[in-house]
C-alpha cells in the first residue's frame, strides 16, 4: 500500500503530541515529511521547543519548520489554563540540543509542494501558516490533496459561545483556507468529544514503558481541566484527524460548505455549516471505543519499538 505523505502543522500542546505519536506508530501508512509549528496554544518559540523536546526524547529525526509567530491581524492569545505556561506542562524533559530548521514553514510548504504531486496537510492549530502559503503561492493550492484539520464547532464553542479555539485564534486565516477550494475534512469539537478518552482509561499508561510514561505524564496534566469539572471523559482533540486518516470508516460525516465568521464577541471564529455541494466534509460522530482503540494500539506499538 502506498504511504500517504503528510505534513503536520501544530502547536504542541498535549493533544498535538498524542496525534503525532499515533501517526509515528503508523509509519507504514503515513509518511511525515515534516512538522510545521505556529503560534496558538502558546507562543511560537514555546510550541516549537516542546516538539523538539519530544523528538529528542524519542530520538526522532523529522525536521521541524517554525512558522508564524502571530495571527494575521490580531494578537496571539496563549491558553495556559489548558496546556500550562510551557504549552506542554507535565513531563520534565531536558532542553533539546536539536534546533528547528532555518527554513520557515511557508517556504518548506512551497518546496515540498513544488516537488510532490500529492500532499495531505494535517492541521492541528490555528491556520496562519496555511493562509500565508495560499496568499503567497496560490497556484500551489492544487498540490494539496486534502487538509484534515482539528477545528470548528457545530453547536457551541470552547473559547467563546460559538467558536473553537484554533479557528477563533486566527479567523482571517481560517477564512482564506476554507474559501480556497481545497478539499477540507474538519473535525469539530463535537466529534472530538464523541471520540474522547475516559479519565480512568488514562491509568493504563501509568507504567514504565518509555512512550506510555510520556503519554501518562502529559495526559495526567491535560486531564486536570476535566477532573476539576467532574467530567468522566475528555476530548484529545488533535488525535481525531489522525484517527480519521487511519480509519475513516469509524466516522459519520456530512458534505457541504463552511463559512467562517470573523467578528463578534460570541461569534468570532464560528464555523457555519451548510449541507449540500461543496468542498468541505465535516465529521459529525464516531464510535468512541473503536476510535480511542486506534490510539491505545499506537502507544502499545511505540512502547515495543522504543523498549
Ligand atoms: O480547541 C482545541 C485545540 O486547541 C487543539 O488543537 C488544542 O491543541 C488547542 O490548541
Ligand atoms: Ca493543537
Amino acid at each position: 500500500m502506498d504511504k500517504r505523505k503528510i505534513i503536520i502543522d501544530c502547536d504542541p500542546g498535549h493533544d498535538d503530541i498524542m496525534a503525532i505519536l499515533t501517526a509515528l506508530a503508523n509509519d507504514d501508512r503515513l509518511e511525515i515529511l515534516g512538522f510545521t509549528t505556529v503560534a496558538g496554544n502558546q507562543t511560537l518559540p514555546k510550541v516549537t521547543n516542546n516538539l523538539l523536546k519530544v523528538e529528542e526524547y524519542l530520538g526522532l529525526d523529522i525536521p521541524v519548520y517554525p512558522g508564524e509567530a502571530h495571527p494575521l491581524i490580531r494578537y496571539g492569545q496563549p491558553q495556559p489554563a489548558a496546556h500550562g505556561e510551557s504549552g506542554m506542562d507535565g513531563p520534565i524533559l531536558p532542553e533539546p540540543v536539536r534546533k528547528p530548521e532555518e527554513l520557515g514553514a511557508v517556504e518548506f510548504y512551497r518546496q515540498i509542494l513544488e516537488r510532490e504531486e500529492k500532499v495531505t496537510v494535517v492541521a492541528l492549530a490555528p491556520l496562519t501558516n496555511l493562509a500565508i502559503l495560499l496568499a503567497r503561492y496560490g497556484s500551489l493550492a492544487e498540490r494539496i490533496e486534502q487538509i484534515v484539520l482539528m477545528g470548528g464547532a457545530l453547536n457551541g464553542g470552547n473559547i467563546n459561545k460559538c467558536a473553537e479555539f484554533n479557528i477563533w485564534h486566527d479567523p482571517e486565516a481560517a477564512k482564506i483556507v476554507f474559501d480556497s477550494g481545497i478539499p477540507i475534512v474538519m473535525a469539530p469539537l463535537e466529534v472530538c468529544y464523541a471520540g474522547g478518552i475516559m479519565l480512568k482509561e488514562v491509568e493504563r499508561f501509568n507504567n514504565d514503558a518509555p512512550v506510555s510514561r510520556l503519554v501518562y505524564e502529559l495526559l495526567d496534566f491535560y486531564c486536570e481541566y476535566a477532573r476539576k469539572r467532574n467530567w468522566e471523559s475528555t476530548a484529545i482533540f488533535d488525535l481525531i484527524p489522525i484517527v480519521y486518516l487511519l480509519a475513516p470508516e469509524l466516522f459519520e460525516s456530512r458534505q457541504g460548505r463552511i463559512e467562517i465568521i470573523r467578528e463578534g464577541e460570541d461569534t468570532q471564529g464560528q464555523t457555519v455549516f451548510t449541507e449540500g455541494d461543496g468542498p468541505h466534509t465535516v465529521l459529525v460522530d464516531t464510535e468512541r471505543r473503536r476510535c480511542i482503540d486506534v490510539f491505545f494500539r499506537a502507544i502499545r506499538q511505540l512502547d515495543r519499538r522504543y523498549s
Side-chain angles (χ1 to χ4, degrees):
M1 194 198 290
D2 273 356
K3 287 192 202 183
R4 188 154 178 173
K5 292 180 196 268
I6 64 171
I7 298 172
I8 300 184
D9 190 60
C10 55
D11 61 343
H14 302 74
D15 52 334
D16 303 70
I17 298 298
M18 301 306 137
I20 288 167
L21 292 174
T22 303
L24 288 169
N26 289 281
D27 57 359
D28 55 331
R29 316 251 323 268
L30 301 175
E31 179 183 352
I32 305 174
L33 301 175
F35 295 113
T36 54
T37 55
V38 66
N41 132 57
Q42 261 298 352
T43 63
L44 181 71
K46 286 186 183 180
V47 299
T48 306
N49 203 46
N50 291 340
L51 181 51
L52 291 168
K53 280 182 178 173
V54 172
E55 281 221 353
E56 208 141 290
Y57 179 78
L58 297 174
L60 292 180
D61 191 22
I62 302 176
V64 175
Y65 301 89
E68 299 305 309
H70 306 282
L72 293 183
I73 61 167
R74 297 170 192 260
Y75 291 108
Q77 298 198 47
Q79 301 297 313
H83 298 275
E85 281 303 329
S86 71
M88 199 182 74
D89 278 12
I92 310 293
L93 296 174
E95 279 306 308
V97 176
R98 195 189 167 94
K99 300 279 174 244
E101 302 300 308
E102 282 186 11
L103 189 69
V106 172
E107 287 306 310
F108 165 66
Y109 280 110
R110 181 182 66 78
Q111 287 188 6
I112 285 281
L113 293 172
E114 278 177 355
R115 71 166 197 255
E116 298 284 351
E117 280 301 315
K118 281 185 175 175
V119 174
T120 294
V121 178
V122 182
L124 310 177
L127 294 167
T128 322
N129 289 341
L130 293 178
I132 293 188
L133 171 76
L134 295 173
R136 216 176 270 170
Y137 305 115
S139 64
L140 291 176
E142 62 191 32
R143 296 286 180 93
I144 300 179
E145 185 181 18
Q146 196 174 50
I147 298 172
V148 183
L149 65 87
M150 190 284 126
L154 301 176
N155 299 310
N158 66 350
I159 189 77
N160 64 14
K161 196 166 168 211
C162 302
E164 180 280 329
F165 172 77
N166 288 339
I167 307 296
W168 168 87
H169 197 253
D170 196 348
E172 286 73 25
K175 181 161 176 57
I176 291 171
V177 173
F178 275 87
D179 287 354
S180 68
I182 298 171
I184 293 177
V185 177
M186 175 175 110
L189 292 177
E190 292 77 8
V191 74
C192 299
Y193 296 138
I197 190 168
M198 305 299 292
L199 298 197
K200 59 178 189 257
E201 288 171 331
V202 174
E203 280 307 311
R204 66 168 53 218
F205 301 113
N206 190 3
N207 63 63
D208 286 334
V211 180
S212 275
R213 174 76 358 220
L214 175 67
V215 167
Y216 182 71
E217 290 178 6
L218 285 167
L219 287 183
D220 192 43
F221 180 92
Y222 181 76
C223 289
E224 190 53 25
Y225 191 88
R227 276 196 292 268
K228 277 188 190 150
R229 289 160 179 78
N230 288 322
W231 296 345
E232 288 190 343
S233 68
T234 191
I236 306 179
F237 299 101
D238 293 338
L239 178 63
I240 299 301
I242 295 290
V243 175
Y244 170 78
L245 284 176
L246 294 168
E249 70 281 3
L250 299 185
F251 293 87
E252 191 186 321
S253 64
R254 304 259 187 280
Q255 199 64 28
R257 188 170 289 279
I258 290 153
E259 188 203 341
I260 306 292
I261 309 295
R262 285 166 290 175
E263 300 299 341
E265 198 180 325
D266 289 343
T267 53
Q268 176 185 324
Q270 184 177 1
T271 43
V272 179
F273 176 61
T274 308
E275 197 161 353
D277 284 343
H280 304 146
T281 305
V282 180
L283 306 182
V284 292
D285 203 3
T286 186
E287 208 183 303
R288 192 197 79 83
R289 188 65 228 193
R290 292 176 71 200
C291 181
I292 203 72
D293 264 348
V294 174
F295 172 59
F296 293 157
R297 271 199 301 278
I299 304 306
R300 275 201 302 276
Q301 168 101 1
L302 290 180
D303 275 336
R304 281 197 292 274
R305 195 181 295 174
Y306 286 100
S307 290

